[in-house]
mmCIF file of all heavy atoms in Angstrom:
data_model
loop_
_atom_site.group_PDB
_atom_site.id
_atom_site.type_symbol
_atom_site.label_atom_id
_atom_site.label_comp_id
_atom_site.label_asym_id
_atom_site.label_seq_id
_atom_site.Cartn_x
_atom_site.Cartn_y
_atom_site.Cartn_z
ATOM 1 N N LEU A 1 -16.948 8.218 47.736
ATOM 2 C CA LEU A 1 -15.773 7.307 47.757
ATOM 3 C C LEU A 1 -14.506 8.041 47.357
ATOM 4 O O LEU A 1 -13.445 7.819 47.899
ATOM 5 C CB LEU A 1 -15.989 6.102 46.890
ATOM 6 C CG LEU A 1 -17.127 5.150 47.323
ATOM 7 C CD1 LEU A 1 -17.323 4.052 46.301
ATOM 8 C CD2 LEU A 1 -16.794 4.534 48.682
ATOM 9 N N ILE A 2 -14.668 8.907 46.363
ATOM 10 C CA ILE A 2 -13.510 9.705 45.910
ATOM 11 C C ILE A 2 -12.995 10.615 47.041
ATOM 12 O O ILE A 2 -11.779 10.694 47.296
ATOM 13 C CB ILE A 2 -13.882 10.564 44.643
ATOM 14 C CG1 ILE A 2 -13.939 9.658 43.430
ATOM 15 C CG2 ILE A 2 -12.790 11.645 44.401
ATOM 16 C CD1 ILE A 2 -14.482 10.338 42.197
ATOM 17 N N LEU A 3 -13.892 11.303 47.714
ATOM 18 C CA LEU A 3 -13.548 12.149 48.831
ATOM 19 C C LEU A 3 -12.842 11.360 49.983
ATOM 20 O O LEU A 3 -11.868 11.846 50.549
ATOM 21 C CB LEU A 3 -14.734 12.921 49.380
ATOM 22 C CG LEU A 3 -15.307 14.047 48.472
ATOM 23 C CD1 LEU A 3 -16.585 14.562 48.985
ATOM 24 C CD2 LEU A 3 -14.278 15.129 48.328
ATOM 25 N N LYS A 4 -13.321 10.143 50.247
ATOM 26 C CA LYS A 4 -12.731 9.329 51.288
ATOM 27 C C LYS A 4 -11.296 8.959 50.859
ATOM 28 O O LYS A 4 -10.405 8.946 51.685
ATOM 29 C CB LYS A 4 -13.565 8.058 51.513
ATOM 30 C CG LYS A 4 -14.872 8.277 52.309
ATOM 31 C CD LYS A 4 -15.567 6.955 52.564
ATOM 32 C CE LYS A 4 -16.798 7.242 53.417
ATOM 33 N NZ LYS A 4 -17.465 5.961 53.684
ATOM 34 N N THR A 5 -11.153 8.661 49.574
ATOM 35 C CA THR A 5 -9.802 8.257 49.074
ATOM 36 C C THR A 5 -8.889 9.479 49.166
ATOM 37 O O THR A 5 -7.701 9.358 49.574
ATOM 38 C CB THR A 5 -9.915 7.789 47.622
ATOM 39 O OG1 THR A 5 -10.842 6.707 47.545
ATOM 40 C CG2 THR A 5 -8.549 7.365 47.127
ATOM 41 N N VAL A 6 -9.363 10.673 48.762
ATOM 42 C CA VAL A 6 -8.503 11.840 48.784
ATOM 43 C C VAL A 6 -8.110 12.246 50.194
ATOM 44 O O VAL A 6 -6.974 12.683 50.439
ATOM 45 C CB VAL A 6 -9.272 13.030 48.100
ATOM 46 C CG1 VAL A 6 -8.499 14.377 48.314
ATOM 47 C CG2 VAL A 6 -9.468 12.765 46.589
ATOM 48 N N ARG A 7 -9.000 12.010 51.179
ATOM 49 C CA ARG A 7 -8.683 12.331 52.559
ATOM 50 C C ARG A 7 -7.493 11.470 53.072
ATOM 51 O O ARG A 7 -6.763 11.893 53.947
ATOM 52 C CB ARG A 7 -9.894 12.057 53.444
ATOM 53 C CG ARG A 7 -10.981 13.157 53.366
ATOM 54 C CD ARG A 7 -12.128 12.854 54.298
ATOM 55 N NE ARG A 7 -11.698 12.825 55.676
ATOM 56 C CZ ARG A 7 -12.521 12.492 56.668
ATOM 57 N NH1 ARG A 7 -13.763 12.122 56.435
ATOM 58 N NH2 ARG A 7 -12.081 12.506 57.934
ATOM 59 N N GLY A 8 -7.336 10.305 52.489
ATOM 60 C CA GLY A 8 -6.243 9.385 52.875
ATOM 61 C C GLY A 8 -4.913 9.750 52.241
ATOM 62 O O GLY A 8 -3.905 9.174 52.584
ATOM 63 N N ILE A 9 -4.890 10.724 51.312
ATOM 64 C CA ILE A 9 -3.675 11.117 50.711
ATOM 65 C C ILE A 9 -2.904 12.082 51.654
ATOM 66 O O ILE A 9 -3.455 13.031 52.150
ATOM 67 C CB ILE A 9 -3.923 11.838 49.348
ATOM 68 C CG1 ILE A 9 -4.607 10.882 48.348
ATOM 69 C CG2 ILE A 9 -2.618 12.333 48.738
ATOM 70 C CD1 ILE A 9 -5.049 11.520 47.073
ATOM 71 N N ALA A 10 -1.658 11.758 51.873
ATOM 72 C CA ALA A 10 -0.883 12.563 52.879
ATOM 73 C C ALA A 10 -0.554 13.908 52.429
ATOM 74 O O ALA A 10 -0.739 14.948 53.168
ATOM 75 C CB ALA A 10 0.378 11.793 53.220
ATOM 76 N N SER A 11 -0.145 14.086 51.170
ATOM 77 C CA SER A 11 0.321 15.412 50.658
ATOM 78 C C SER A 11 -0.862 16.302 50.322
ATOM 79 O O SER A 11 -1.785 15.892 49.617
ATOM 80 C CB SER A 11 1.186 15.202 49.408
ATOM 81 O OG SER A 11 1.400 16.413 48.770
ATOM 82 N N GLY A 12 -0.823 17.501 50.883
ATOM 83 C CA GLY A 12 -1.862 18.492 50.546
ATOM 84 C C GLY A 12 -1.903 18.874 49.086
ATOM 85 O O GLY A 12 -2.942 19.117 48.533
ATOM 86 N N GLU A 13 -0.693 18.924 48.472
ATOM 87 C CA GLU A 13 -0.634 19.197 47.049
ATOM 88 C C GLU A 13 -1.240 18.122 46.192
ATOM 89 O O GLU A 13 -1.938 18.468 45.237
ATOM 90 C CB GLU A 13 0.880 19.398 46.679
ATOM 91 C CG GLU A 13 1.050 19.875 45.227
ATOM 92 C CD GLU A 13 2.520 20.066 44.866
ATOM 93 O OE1 GLU A 13 3.380 20.153 45.827
ATOM 94 O OE2 GLU A 13 2.821 20.111 43.685
ATOM 95 N N GLU A 14 -1.022 16.889 46.610
ATOM 96 C CA GLU A 14 -1.607 15.776 45.866
ATOM 97 C C GLU A 14 -3.123 15.767 46.008
ATOM 98 O O GLU A 14 -3.836 15.347 45.088
ATOM 99 C CB GLU A 14 -0.998 14.478 46.388
ATOM 100 C CG GLU A 14 0.452 14.267 45.919
ATOM 101 C CD GLU A 14 0.593 14.157 44.409
ATOM 102 O OE1 GLU A 14 -0.244 13.499 43.739
ATOM 103 O OE2 GLU A 14 1.558 14.777 43.840
ATOM 104 N N LYS A 15 -3.586 16.093 47.212
ATOM 105 C CA LYS A 15 -5.035 16.216 47.432
ATOM 106 C C LYS A 15 -5.639 17.202 46.507
ATOM 107 O O LYS A 15 -6.687 16.952 45.833
ATOM 108 C CB LYS A 15 -5.325 16.602 48.890
ATOM 109 C CG LYS A 15 -5.158 15.497 49.928
ATOM 110 C CD LYS A 15 -5.516 16.028 51.289
ATOM 111 C CE LYS A 15 -5.353 14.943 52.366
ATOM 112 N NZ LYS A 15 -5.675 15.451 53.718
ATOM 113 N N ALA A 16 -5.041 18.400 46.434
ATOM 114 C CA ALA A 16 -5.597 19.452 45.573
ATOM 115 C C ALA A 16 -5.539 19.059 44.110
ATOM 116 O O ALA A 16 -6.475 19.346 43.360
ATOM 117 C CB ALA A 16 -4.785 20.736 45.747
ATOM 118 N N LYS A 17 -4.483 18.381 43.757
ATOM 119 C CA LYS A 17 -4.320 17.938 42.320
ATOM 120 C C LYS A 17 -5.390 16.875 41.972
ATOM 121 O O LYS A 17 -6.008 16.962 40.889
ATOM 122 C CB LYS A 17 -2.933 17.340 42.090
ATOM 123 C CG LYS A 17 -2.654 16.952 40.651
ATOM 124 C CD LYS A 17 -1.257 16.428 40.502
ATOM 125 C CE LYS A 17 -0.967 15.996 39.099
ATOM 126 N NZ LYS A 17 0.421 15.431 38.931
ATOM 127 N N ALA A 18 -5.668 16.003 42.887
ATOM 128 C CA ALA A 18 -6.671 14.962 42.651
ATOM 129 C C ALA A 18 -8.075 15.555 42.508
ATOM 130 O O ALA A 18 -8.844 15.197 41.642
ATOM 131 C CB ALA A 18 -6.656 13.890 43.829
ATOM 132 N N LEU A 19 -8.401 16.479 43.422
ATOM 133 C CA LEU A 19 -9.735 17.101 43.426
ATOM 134 C C LEU A 19 -9.910 18.000 42.199
ATOM 135 O O LEU A 19 -11.004 18.141 41.677
ATOM 136 C CB LEU A 19 -9.982 17.867 44.699
ATOM 137 C CG LEU A 19 -10.185 17.078 45.982
ATOM 138 C CD1 LEU A 19 -10.272 17.949 47.229
ATOM 139 C CD2 LEU A 19 -11.491 16.241 45.832
ATOM 140 N N ASN A 20 -8.759 18.655 41.814
ATOM 141 C CA ASN A 20 -8.866 19.562 40.642
ATOM 142 C C ASN A 20 -9.317 18.870 39.376
ATOM 143 O O ASN A 20 -9.929 19.449 38.536
ATOM 144 C CB ASN A 20 -7.520 20.211 40.466
ATOM 145 C CG ASN A 20 -7.628 21.468 39.539
ATOM 146 O OD1 ASN A 20 -8.442 22.294 39.695
ATOM 147 N ND2 ASN A 20 -6.771 21.502 38.511
ATOM 148 N N THR A 21 -8.876 17.550 39.249
ATOM 149 C CA THR A 21 -9.257 16.850 38.073
ATOM 150 C C THR A 21 -10.736 16.555 38.007
ATOM 151 O O THR A 21 -11.309 16.140 36.968
ATOM 152 C CB THR A 21 -8.519 15.483 37.984
ATOM 153 O OG1 THR A 21 -8.882 14.633 39.077
ATOM 154 C CG2 THR A 21 -7.013 15.692 37.992
ATOM 155 N N CYS A 22 -11.471 16.669 39.156
ATOM 156 C CA CYS A 22 -12.908 16.377 39.235
ATOM 157 C C CYS A 22 -13.786 17.606 39.105
ATOM 158 O O CYS A 22 -15.012 17.495 38.862
ATOM 159 C CB CYS A 22 -13.228 15.697 40.547
ATOM 160 S SG CYS A 22 -12.348 14.135 40.796
ATOM 161 N N ILE A 23 -13.188 18.818 39.318
ATOM 162 C CA ILE A 23 -13.992 20.007 39.392
ATOM 163 C C ILE A 23 -14.848 20.255 38.143
ATOM 164 O O ILE A 23 -15.998 20.571 38.184
ATOM 165 C CB ILE A 23 -13.079 21.252 39.692
ATOM 166 C CG1 ILE A 23 -12.534 21.162 41.078
ATOM 167 C CG2 ILE A 23 -13.848 22.543 39.487
ATOM 168 C CD1 ILE A 23 -11.575 22.237 41.460
ATOM 169 N N SER A 24 -14.228 20.080 36.994
ATOM 170 C CA SER A 24 -14.951 20.350 35.678
ATOM 171 C C SER A 24 -16.125 19.364 35.567
ATOM 172 O O SER A 24 -17.278 19.831 35.243
ATOM 173 C CB SER A 24 -13.997 20.178 34.523
ATOM 174 O OG SER A 24 -12.912 21.066 34.568
ATOM 175 N N HIS A 25 -15.878 18.149 35.919
ATOM 176 C CA HIS A 25 -16.963 17.131 35.802
ATOM 177 C C HIS A 25 -18.101 17.415 36.799
ATOM 178 O O HIS A 25 -19.265 17.332 36.466
ATOM 179 C CB HIS A 25 -16.437 15.715 36.065
ATOM 180 C CG HIS A 25 -17.465 14.637 36.007
ATOM 181 N ND1 HIS A 25 -17.887 14.013 37.123
ATOM 182 C CD2 HIS A 25 -18.217 14.128 35.019
ATOM 183 C CE1 HIS A 25 -18.854 13.158 36.783
ATOM 184 N NE2 HIS A 25 -19.059 13.206 35.552
ATOM 185 N N ILE A 26 -17.729 17.800 37.988
ATOM 186 C CA ILE A 26 -18.719 18.130 39.046
ATOM 187 C C ILE A 26 -19.574 19.313 38.560
ATOM 188 O O ILE A 26 -20.840 19.312 38.716
ATOM 189 C CB ILE A 26 -18.068 18.499 40.357
ATOM 190 C CG1 ILE A 26 -17.402 17.210 40.999
ATOM 191 C CG2 ILE A 26 -19.108 19.123 41.361
ATOM 192 C CD1 ILE A 26 -16.552 17.524 42.221
ATOM 193 N N GLY A 27 -18.965 20.309 37.946
ATOM 194 C CA GLY A 27 -19.701 21.467 37.406
ATOM 195 C C GLY A 27 -20.710 21.052 36.355
ATOM 196 O O GLY A 27 -21.882 21.464 36.371
ATOM 197 N N CYS A 28 -20.294 20.195 35.443
ATOM 198 C CA CYS A 28 -21.242 19.710 34.375
ATOM 199 C C CYS A 28 -22.336 18.867 34.955
ATOM 200 O O CYS A 28 -23.501 18.941 34.529
ATOM 201 C CB CYS A 28 -20.451 18.887 33.368
ATOM 202 S SG CYS A 28 -19.262 19.849 32.415
#
């Protein structure tokens, strides 16, 4: 659901920022 939401974000910079907040959690 997060990925679907991020795909709907127009700005590439905002997409990267949104996904970056999840990277640490995904690693753990």
Side-chain angles (χ1 to χ4, degrees):
L1 294 175
I2 286 173
L3 288 173
K4 286 184 177 180
T5 304
V6 171
R7 284 181 61 187
I9 299 175
S11 169
E13 185 178 344
E14 289 296 319
K15 284 183 181 179
K17 185 178 179 182
L19 287 175
N20 193 52
T21 63
C22 300
I23 290 176
S24 300
H25 178 251
I26 292 172
C28 294

